[in-house]
Amino acid sequence: MSNLVQKFQEYSGWRNNVMAALERYRACVSAADLADPVSDQHFSRLKARLTDDKLSIAFVAEFSRGKSELINAIFFADYGQRILPSSAGRTTMCPTELLYDETFPPSIRLLPIETRAEAASTSDYKDINHVWTVLPLDINSGEGMLDAFKQVSLTKRVPVEEAKRYGLYHEDDPDASLAVGDDGLVEISQWRHAIVNFPHPLLKQGLVIIDTPGLNAIGTEPELTLNLIPNAHAVLFILAADTGVTRSDIDVWRDHIGGGPARLVVLNKIDSMWDELRTAEEVEEQIERQVGTVAHTLNLSTHQVFPISAQKGLVGKVNRDAALLEKSRLPALESALSEELIPSKREIVRGQLETEVNELTAAKLALLASRSRNVVEQLVELKSLRGKNQTIIEHMMKRVDLEKKEFDSSLLKLQGTRAVFTRLSTEVFTSLGMDILKAEIHNTREAMEKSKFSSGMRSAVKDFFAHVRNNLTLSGQKTDEITEMMTVMYRKFSTEHGLALSAPMPFSLEKYLKEIELIESVYHKQFGAAAMLTMPQVSLMTKFFDSIASRVKQSFLQANRDVEAWLKVVMAPLEAQIWEHRSQLKKRRQSIERIHVATDSLEEKVQALEEMQAEIEGQKRELHGLEADLKGAIAAELSALKAAA
């Protein structure tokens, strides 16, 4: 088992342990009657974060660099043969995602190339099932799987005008004439995108492999530029030892890959340097020299460049030839990936989980503290009644009634706050709503189509980003108003009625503003340099905007969901404590009434309250214990989880 596979299995075991601890914690909250909409939302977020947690690795290379062979060597050697087609020439013709989704049967979903003629991105089509061609995947037949995977490499020949319509042929390209055959047709990929749903153990545990079809696709398929590559947790940029770094390699590295975390360069095919006429030392020196050249050209440390032979590594694994596997240097790359990718990803998830758990525990302890305080107040009151006459008891009943009257008065004021809350909640969506965004996208597309100059097209896209940012800012101002208003109300009930309330749940749209800025920066990288756009660039910009619009829609949809969820729960802690306080006031009066009628029940009531106080203290201890258990599972080191994995 490779180090990468082992680390990934340990990571999966860690997630399972955290999930089990979370379920124990949730059961305790429910048993103690502490559940409310806020805690339900916390639990849902925690569970979704663990269940939907994905680790994606993108493999980027020009064709014939051994990219598919490397994927076979790292992930599919246990099948004893190649799963991805790997031969001389181009074997991957469209972006391919290898993942596992249990809601679909094992299959290959293929998006026809004709969809490039439409104003929609690949992401837009992912939920439109009828557009895709679906091929079943026989996971029990290695040969059958290999044949199915070959579909990804299928091409077809189309007229030049059709290739132009798809943005795959540009007359301004100096090599365009070479792409046209004697029959006047151009060879293009049959598919725009492929999704392979495959129940491989690592894919079932959340790994996503992204196989790109070559460097030329990085610029022509916006989905790669905007979504798949920037969002990958690790990117392996594959070069060949016999060709080194080409001009197109440098451009793609600088514009789309370099600079992010876990970006590694693989110098493949070092077996081409193995020469029986040279000594081992001479071969090693030649490899190190090539590594140094690549590192210098790409402005990297030599530790970020990994010389390997994917083909020999695959053979070494399949034939269980440890010496050949070691000579291929593949294990060194796998170790680097496991050390770079998994720990950094886990730290991000761990930080998010700990924040959620802290907020959740604070809310539950506050509710228990409120219950405990009310029980103590009742005990003090009831114990003070020992030996008191009926006049004193009647006086205490009047005092409770006065407290209830003052509390009800505060609740009337809260109704006014609710009205303002409803109005502001509506105003949040006047600038965040999807209809507003769709209108902005439509207006921008119209402006781009009407413009005959590159400056006009740039201006239209610039205005689009400005309007989107402004809409997010306006909505953010409204959520800030709601937060400020709720903070005042929380403070009022805390000081006037002794409720154990901290500040309301914070909320910010800042991360969505940053997402928009990131999308805009990718757009500027692609189209910001040239003063005038060539016809191919104008065509690409139009398709690029479709992907921009799709990405912004996804961001706004998530922002809408987050705002809706926050609005539902921002008042929940206050409402929970109000309900608890009203309930306790009612119980206090009933207790005093019963004692007014029958003083012999006083000691029974005192005893019942003391038992209730002990029960609350026990719930606090159990909650603290389960919190420690959950945080311990979150903080556990991966190496300690081998058995669990």
Side-chain angles (χ1 to χ4, degrees), residues 544-556:
F544 208 86
F545 179 74
D546 294 336
S547 283
I548 286 172
S550 174
R551 177 84 181 270
V552 172
K553 274 194 288 188
Q554 291 173 22
S555 186
F556 264 59

Side-chain angles (χ1 to χ4, degrees), residues 596-625:
H596 185 260
V597 175
T599 54
D600 57 346
S601 68
L602 175 60
E603 293 305 322
E604 292 177 8
K605 189 62 182 174
V606 168
Q607 183 180 353
L609 284 170
E610 286 175 341
E611 289 172 359
M612 191 182 299
Q613 186 180 19
E615 183 183 354
I616 292 171
E617 291 304 315
Q619 288 172 343
K620 283 183 184 178
R621 287 192 298 272
E622 186 178 6
L623 198 65
H624 277 303

Side-chain angles (χ1 to χ4, degrees), residues 239 245 253 265 267 288-306:
L239 308 172
V245 187
W253 174 262
V265 173
L267 189 60
E288 292 306 316
R289 189 161 54 247
Q290 185 73 306
V291 166
T293 301
V294 169
H296 176 74
T297 305
L298 299 181
N299 193 28
L300 293 171
S301 160
T302 54
H303 298 297
Q304 292 173 271
V305 181
F306 293 85

Side-chain angles (χ1 to χ4, degrees), residues 19-302:
M19 186 75 81
L22 181 64
E23 289 302 326
R24 292 192 294 272
Y25 189 97
R26 186 171 197 167
C28 171
V29 168
S30 297
D33 195 26
L34 293 168
D36 57 33
V38 175
S39 62
D40 288 343
Q41 189 183 87
H42 275 299
F43 282 123
S44 296
R45 274 204 302 262
L46 286 163
K47 191 171 182 179
R49 190 160 282 139
L50 290 165
T51 304
D52 302 333
D53 184 33
K54 301 291 184 186
L55 283 151
S56 58
I57 304 178
F59 290 75
V60 180
E62 190 54 278
F63 67 90
S64 294
R65 299 292 196 267
K67 173 170 48 66
S68 297
E69 189 80 325
L70 180 58
I71 296 173
N72 282 323
I74 294 178
F75 300 106
F76 301 123
D78 290 344
Y79 284 83
Q81 67 177 71
R82 294 181 176 91
I83 295 299
L84 295 185
S86 178
S87 59
R90 300 189 67 171
T91 55
T92 305
M93 292 297 294
C94 68
T96 304
E97 293 179 76
L98 287 85
L99 48 81
Y100 181 64
D101 182 348
E102 62 182 9
T103 62
F104 286 93
S107 59
I108 298 181
R109 300 172 68 208
L110 299 158
L111 185 64
I113 196 68
E114 287 78 8
T115 58
R116 281 185 65 99
E118 305 297 327
S121 72
T122 303
S123 295
D124 292 329
Y125 284 112
K126 283 189 175 178
D127 295 325
I128 309 175
N129 292 333
H130 71 271
V131 178
W132 298 75
T133 297
V134 182
L135 304 176
L137 199 59
D138 183 0
I139 61 175
N140 297 315
S141 168
E143 289 297 330
M145 285 176 58
L146 185 57
D147 288 340
F149 273 101
K150 286 179 180 176
Q151 291 289 327
V152 176
S153 60
L154 292 182
T155 62
K156 63 181 182 179
R157 300 186 67 77
V158 299
V160 169
E161 287 305 314
E162 186 175 346
K164 280 183 183 178
R165 195 162 69 253
Y166 303 150
L168 299 174
Y169 181 88
H170 308 296
E171 291 169 339
D172 294 351
D173 186 343
D175 298 325
S177 60
L178 302 176
V180 182
D182 295 336
D183 55 1
L185 302 178
V186 179
E187 184 181 34
I188 63 172
S189 171
Q190 188 167 321
W191 311 108
R192 180 181 183 182
H193 196 85
I195 299 176
V196 180
N197 192 42
F198 177 34
H200 182 280
L202 290 181
L203 302 183
K204 288 172 79 171
Q205 291 169 15
L207 178 68
V208 177
I209 300 169
I210 302 162
D211 187 8
T212 62
L215 302 186
N216 61 320
I218 302 293
T220 58
E221 181 49 77
E223 186 73 15
L224 287 171
T225 313
L226 277 170
N227 287 330
L228 295 179
I229 292 176
N231 293 330
H233 299 104
V235 176
L236 268 64
F237 190 50
I238 302 150
L239 308 172
D242 51 359
T243 58
V245 187
T246 66
R247 182 71 252 173
S248 61
D249 289 329
I250 294 172
D251 290 341
V252 169
W253 174 262
R254 288 177 179 169
D255 293 341
H256 302 294
I257 299 174
R263 267 53 177 164
L264 306 177
V265 173
V266 177
L267 189 60
N268 194 19
K269 302 187 179 182
I270 61 168
D271 51 298
S272 65
M273 298 181 180
W274 298 352
D275 188 341
E276 294 180 0
L277 298 180
R278 291 195 183 105
T279 65
E281 290 76 15
E282 288 173 331
V283 171
E284 176 69 21
E285 184 181 337
Q286 186 180 9
I287 292 173
E288 292 306 316
R289 189 161 54 247
Q290 185 73 306
V291 166
T293 301
V294 169
H296 176 74
T297 305
L298 299 181
N299 193 28
L300 293 171
S301 160
T302 54

Side-chain angles (χ1 to χ4, degrees), residues 437-463:
L437 179 61
K438 287 175 183 176
E440 294 286 0
I441 292 170
H442 175 75
N443 293 340
T444 305
R445 281 201 181 110
E446 278 195 340
M448 291 176 73
E449 288 170 6
K450 289 177 182 176
S451 177
K452 297 181 181 179
F453 302 99
S454 55
S455 59
M457 297 189 77
R458 281 201 184 96
S459 177
V461 178
K462 180 182 177 182
D463 289 345

